[in-house]
Structures are given as C-alpha cells and as structure tokens.
Amino acid sequence: MQVFRHADEMRAWSLSRKCAGKRVGFVPTMGALHEGHLSLMRAAVRENDVAVASIFVNPAQFAPNEDLDAYPRTFDSDLEMSQEAGIHAIYAPTASAMYPEGYSTYVNVDRVSEGLCSRTRPHFFRGVATVVVKLFNAVLPDRAYFGQKDAQQYAVIKRMAQDLDMGIEIIEMPIIREPDGLAMSSRNQYLGPEDRQRALCLSESLFRALDALEAGERSVDKIVRMVRDGMKDVDIDYVEIVDAETMQPVNEINRTVLLAVAAQVGPARLIDNIKFAPPEATAAQ
Ligand code: PAF
C-alpha cells in the first residue's frame, strides 16, 4: 500500500491506473478508523479495480469552539487497518498543503445543507464540500463511498457531484452499529462508561420509532414526540423527519424519509438516523 502526501503524486498514481482502464474506488476519512470505515473500504475494494482511502482531519469543517485539536489521531493503526482491508493507496495530505496561506475558495451546496446539523454547525457542510472536492481532484475516483450515519453529508455530496457534473458515483453504505445498537463513530471514544450507557437512548428511540412506522404509524408529530420522550436523559439538538434526498422537513410520511437525531452526550455530540420507505408509497411508484 502506497502513502501519498501531495495531490500531484496522488493524481499521477490514479491517472496511470485510469489510463490502464482501471476503476478507482475512494473512501474519504478523517482517520480514527473503526468498523464503519472498514465496511466502506471493503466495498471500495470489492467493487473497483483499485481502492484509495484518504486520512485527513479537515480544519475547515470544525468551528473554533469544536474538537479539532482533541479529534483522535491514530495514523499508524489507521494505515495497518486500511492495508488489512485491501486498500491500495492512502492519500494523507498536510493541513498546510490543503489550505496554504491565501487559500480562498469554498464550495457551498444550498438547501440540502441547510437545517439539521447546520443549525448548530453552520460552517460544517461548506468545509466538508470543499475538502471533498479537493480530495476528489487528487484521487480522481470513479466511485466514492460514504456512511449513512452522516446522512446529510451524503445528501450534500451527492447533490454537489450531480450539480457540478463530476461524473463520480456517490454510494451510501449502511450504518455499522456496536452489538448494543450504538452507531459507530470516532467520537464514541470521548464517552466514559456512564455517557456510553446514556448514548444508547439514541438508537433505542430510533428503533422504537421504526417499529411504529413499520406497524403503520404515519404521524410526523407522534413519531418525533416518541423519539424525544426516549431521549430525555441527553441534551437533544434535534429530532426531525425530512425528505431523505432533499433534507427538507416533511408534513407527511408518504415518501422515503430520514428520521435523524443529534444530541450532546457528555463530551460527545452524537448523531444517528434511520431511513424509512412507506410500502404504500413504493408500491404506488
Ligand atoms: O465523514 C468524514 O469523515 C468527513 O466529513 C469527510 C467526508 C472525510 C470530510 O472530511
């Protein structure tokens, strides 16, 4: 497995593969890898001729009061895990190479990046969209893989790739959970035993809501209330039901929707979600 620090070297490597007719799969990460990242990497390896992952903690998606400095950095074990997953090349640029003195260009994706996480993290999706374009420009992927845990991020990147004619297939992979249901996240490392236990109310409330939806409940208010009631022990940021593609709030559950939650649990801000496609809507299509 090769490790590239510079965009030019990364691009030359990918270009030579593409000129040989090979498909490049790509998994962007901020490192601190866990089973969620590995599931994306294994898919990229399985579905493409060569697979690249990036490891870059992107300063542009953290606000000054957020956890940029504390964000876990485990580069050596990340390399080992990537190699075991079958990744062929790692792109790990430095922050100064990505954002040198005078850097001035940012990517904004309207509408889909409004609401949900951007209410408390207004800078976040501009930082994500910008870095993902820069990573795409270095890696030149045919397909890129993102986890459903960051469902709004996936929707933003998908919209951006479509709007900017990038010709890159944006693929969403299912959430990977701990055996007790907690969605895997690099930020779970911040949780002490008590917070770890309290954090379970996110997934448990979502699963209860999914049971209700599957049993035929279609009231947005009732589902949101049910989830909020289940999350009384944590500091809720939002509980919302939105259109799964546009991220716009819905009044009726008559298409594929995303039920998304975010909460502060001790030192960690956690997000989780489920998607639900009402069978009556899919049958009508
Ligand atoms: O999901 C992440 O880890 C990051 O937001 C990403 C896509 C690697 C961009 O920094």
Side-chain angles (χ1 to χ4, degrees), residues 28-30 58 61 128 131-132 146 150 153:
T29 83
M30 298 207 299
N58 174 33
Q61 68 191 71
V128 168
V131 81
V132 168
F146 295 85
D150 300 293
Q153 168 173 280

Side-chain angles (χ1 to χ4, degrees), residues 4 13 21 52 67 91 94 108 138 157 160 177 179 185 191 205 211 224 226 267 279:
F4 298 107
W13 185 93
V52 180
D67 57 341
Y91 179 43
T94 60
N108 277 307
I157 306 291
M160 175 183 81
R177 298 183 178 278
S185 162
L191 298 169
S205 307
D211 286 344
V224 168
M226 173 189 288

Side-chain angles (χ1 to χ4, degrees), residues 72-88:
R73 286 162 172 86
T74 54
F75 191 66
D76 291 341
S77 64
D78 291 344
L79 289 187
E80 269 175 42
M81 290 165 84
S82 306
Q83 180 142 32
E84 272 168 32
I87 290 290
H88 301 98

Side-chain angles (χ1 to χ4, degrees), residues 120-185:
T120 43
R121 308 186 75 195
H123 51 279
F124 179 68
F125 290 112
R126 167 179 125 131
V128 168
T130 301
V131 81
V132 168
V133 170
K134 287 174 68 72
L135 296 169
F136 282 178
N137 284 343
V139 174
L140 307 176
D142 296 285
R143 297 196 180 103
Y145 296 78
F146 295 85
Q148 187 194 316
K149 189 175 77 64
D150 300 293
Q152 192 176 14
Q153 168 173 280
Y154 164 75
V156 167
I157 306 291
K158 196 171 162 68
R159 185 78 247 172
M160 175 183 81
Q162 193 177 323
D163 287 352
L164 298 183
D165 306 316
M166 290 178 144
I168 300 169
E169 196 182 338
I170 308 298
I171 297 170
E172 185 178 48
M173 299 293 293
I175 298 178
I176 304 294
R177 298 183 178 278
E178 301 285 357
D180 61 8
L182 182 69
M184 287 199 186
S185 162

